[in-house]
Amino acid sequence: MADPYQNNVYHQGGDGYGYQADYPPQEEDAASDVTEGHDEEDQMYEGEYQGIPHPDEVKAAQRAARAVSELEELSEQYEDIMEDCGHGKFQWTLFVVLGLALMADGVECFVVAFVLPSAEKDLCLSNAEKGMLGLMVFLSMMVGAFLWGGLADKVGRRRCLVVALAINCIFAFLSSFAQGYGFFLFFRLLSGIGIGGTVPIVYSYFSEFLQMDKRGEHLSWLCMFWMIGGIYASFTAWGIIPRYGWGFSMGTEFQFHSWRVFVLVAALPAIASLVGLTFMPESPRFLLENAKHDEAWMILKQVHDTNWRAKGQPEKVFTVTHIKAPKTAEDEFIEIQSATGTPVQRWAVRSLTLCKLVCSKNVASLLSAELRFATLFMAIIWFCMAFSYYGLSVWFPDMIKHLQYEEYVSKVKVFHKERVVNFHFNFSLENQIHKEGEYIQDEFISIEMKSVKFEDSLFENCRFEDIKSTDTVFENCTIRSTVFRNTDLGEEKFINCKMENTSFEHNKTGCHLDTVEENDDLIYLVSFLGSLAVLPGNIISALFMEKIGRVKIIGGSMLISAGCTFFLFLSFSQSAIIALQCLFCGVSVAAWNGIEVVTVELYPASKRATAFGVLNALCKLAAVLGSSIFASFVGVSKAVPILLSFAALVCGGLVALKLPDTREKILQ
């Protein structure tokens, strides 16, 4: 059947546009008597006599309904152009490139958690420093989301994404070589600021190459790359970090252990995405919003030609001649200011101007009358979802560690008032408490002491040599005429002890990676299973995003996830926690997919990345609060985290049901 819009031309004088649609030749089974003189061999559209409209007629009716007199709005015209360009090779190529950037964001969330067991020894980290390192990851990503989201609406999606990924790659690389805590923290901070911009930019960027009926599904498929990032991080960490022989050293000042190799490998998705982006164009919708008609036209033609050539129809011609677009005053202001002064002054003026524009125009506009309620509802949903999800993501593995510790402590061996004389300890001591013991002329040579405590004991004429210790202390002990040679038993190991004629020779200074037990395989397994469990939920939500609708998917997923948390009251073992974590992750991912799709669709192109950045920054803040609060209740109460997550998910789910349905909404 010939499309009734084929060969139709729309003209507008002056600053208007001319638009001519050119559709691909229809297959024989799509022909009908609408076209005069059709071949006798052509077949009728099978639904014609059943009163079923032809798909082409439905599209034509939708276009006619969108037309405003003879002058289409930019968003409506852009939707028509994207329909003519089709969905094909170009979108799938961009899908992979942007997916790698999203994968890099997923990896970043796991890097510090995986390297801490080794890095805390290598960098001599205290508990406070470990907590600060984990906190700074999310805070830096929060700053990055806010910063790059706003800039992407003023400078460009692709340009900002390239710079953000480059910053992430550079400082992730430098962090792997940092030998001190200060430099490592600083480099991870800047790396997080870079990667923090990927989520708001990637979704805004990709959505502007999708037509309306493809948008929800393919944005949901894109979410899978975050899950793939988690799998990649846990799998590579599992395979690299325990391999201590993979590192090297240059004297005593420079150590490059296997966990540093993992930090380098974790940056590979960002590097791959950065390379791919060099072959990708800027978003034509962004260019049109900034009155760059010629550049936008060339990119749209590239999309059109790439897709139709891949479909075997190279003869298809891109027939759009002019595109209506607004003219903005902000760009003129920046150019006028940048035309004078030194390069440094011009950079300062441009940067200051951009900051003012982002804050005064974009961020402030999110609270305007048109967007106020949408922003409020989305802020509540983002915060509730992130608070519960990230809080439980930290709480699950911490609870498993706590249960392991309780089981370990329950097996402790207690020795009371033992007397050992002239004995050579050539075997390791683990999980022991020695009270009021006497050790006379004993030797502790080339052994490991793990979780060992000596209380109110006497050591006389003893020798400790080549000792490696973990969680080992001497409390209220008397130590006489004893030699400590080549051990890591420093002053902090002796609490209220009385030293008489005792010497320390060649004592080990600093921190060292002692044994492979520093890395428990369970941390990798739990992360791997949690990421893998997301796959079914991701597939289901992508397939049904258009059929069920975003609102029902978000609300339903959050409410079902709330119900899942109550299963924790029924069973509380390591296997039960792992199973419930997998269930929770698999159900909640549908809500994440819907939230990200709706965020893209609710805001206009000139505010889209800014809104996404602000909401994603709020998400990271909620993650910090959730993980901190939930972690504080580990070993104290399991009811409080469960009730908090339940309340947050129910609140967010009910608010989500109040959102408008955006399935049929054209991107503004």
Side-chain angles (χ1 to χ4, degrees), residues 287-307:
L287 295 174
L288 291 172
E289 290 290 334
N290 290 271
K292 298 179 180 179
H293 306 74
D294 295 341
E295 294 179 49
W297 185 90
M298 291 296 294
I299 293 171
L300 289 169
K301 184 178 185 300
Q302 176 188 350
V303 176
H304 176 278
D305 293 347
T306 300
N307 287 341

Side-chain angles (χ1 to χ4, degrees), residues 181-248:
Y181 170 73
F183 279 111
F184 184 76
L185 178 65
F186 176 71
F187 290 144
R188 293 313 302 182
L189 172 66
L190 295 180
S191 173
I193 290 176
I195 204 65
T198 56
V199 172
I201 298 176
V202 161
Y203 283 100
S204 302
Y205 189 11
F206 191 51
S207 67
E208 292 168 356
F209 284 96
L210 298 173
Q211 58 200 67
M212 184 173 60
D213 59 348
K214 302 285 187 181
R215 194 168 58 227
E217 178 184 352
H218 288 273
L219 285 175
S220 298
W221 289 127
L222 189 65
C223 297
M224 292 184 65
F225 278 92
W226 201 93
M227 169 208 70
I228 296 173
I231 294 175
Y232 174 81
S234 55
F235 186 77
T236 53
W238 202 346
I240 294 175
I241 294 178
R243 308 294 192 271
Y244 291 107
W246 287 17
F248 64 90

Side-chain angles (χ1 to χ4, degrees), residues 302-544:
Q302 176 188 350
V303 176
H304 176 278
D305 293 347
T306 300
N307 287 341
W308 288 114
R309 279 198 300 266
K311 293 177 181 179
Q313 299 186 42
E315 71 280 0
K316 279 284 297 179
V317 178
F318 185 63
T319 56
V320 175
T321 56
H322 296 86
I323 307 173
K324 179 181 182 295
K327 176 64 177 177
T328 58
E330 290 84 358
D331 294 314
E332 294 178 356
F333 176 71
I334 295 174
E335 295 302 327
I336 291 171
Q337 294 295 324
S338 63
T340 58
T342 64
V344 175
Q345 290 174 328
R346 290 199 298 269
W347 177 84
V349 170
R350 179 179 288 274
S351 300
L352 181 61
T353 304
L354 279 174
C355 292
K356 288 181 178 179
L357 288 175
V358 169
C359 294
S360 62
K361 298 293 184 181
N362 286 35
V363 177
S365 67
L366 300 181
L367 298 177
S368 63
E370 296 82 6
L371 300 175
R372 184 180 304 141
F373 287 106
T375 301
L376 177 61
F377 284 3
M378 292 307 300
I380 294 173
I381 296 168
W382 273 92
F383 185 90
C384 290
M385 188 66 206
F387 179 82
S388 178
Y389 181 85
Y390 286 102
L392 288 177
S393 295
V394 170
W395 187 72
F396 281 131
D398 281 357
M399 279 306 305
I400 292 174
K401 291 179 183 178
H402 177 70
L403 293 175
Q404 288 179 323
Y405 176 75
E406 286 186 332
E407 182 181 1
Y408 185 77
V409 170
S410 67
K411 298 178 180 179
V412 65
K413 297 178 180 179
V414 180
F415 300 87
H416 191 254
K417 293 186 177 181
E418 63 178 348
R419 179 178 173 85
V420 182
V421 181
N422 291 324
F423 187 79
H424 180 74
F425 288 86
N426 58 359
F427 50 87
S428 297
L429 307 179
E430 181 177 356
N431 198 20
Q432 299 177 2
I433 297 177
H434 300 262
K435 296 182 178 181
E436 301 179 20
E438 293 183 4
Y439 305 91
I440 312 298
Q441 297 181 349
D442 296 327
E443 292 184 341
F444 300 80
I445 308 295
S446 300
I447 65 172
E448 294 180 3
M449 294 182 176
K450 183 176 181 181
S451 298
V452 179
K453 185 176 183 180
F454 294 94
E455 294 181 1
D456 303 308
S457 297
L458 171 66
F459 294 86
E460 188 169 354
N461 293 320
C462 294
R463 182 177 183 85
F464 292 79
E465 186 171 352
D466 295 327
I467 303 296
K468 293 181 179 180
S469 66
T470 303
D471 296 328
T472 296
V473 295
F474 297 78
E475 187 173 347
N476 298 322
C477 295
T478 300
I479 304 175
R480 298 175 185 155
S481 304
T482 296
V483 176
F484 293 86
R485 180 181 178 82
N486 194 31
T487 72
D488 58 4
L489 299 173
E491 294 181 2
E492 70 281 357
K493 304 286 187 179
F494 300 92
I495 303 172
N496 297 325
C497 291
K498 184 179 180 182
M499 301 283 189
E500 299 178 2
N501 195 28
T502 298
S503 62
F504 292 84
E505 301 175 1
H506 304 289
N507 220 36
K508 296 179 182 178
T509 58
C511 303
H512 308 275
L513 289 172
D514 296 330
T515 61
V516 294
E517 282 78 13
E518 296 297 338
N519 288 279
D520 187 353
D521 287 346
L522 189 62
I523 187 176
Y524 309 123
L525 178 61
V526 170
S527 174
F528 180 81
L529 292 177
S531 299
L532 192 62
V534 170
L535 181 60
N538 226 319
I539 295 175
I540 293 172
S541 62
L543 294 176
F544 290 93

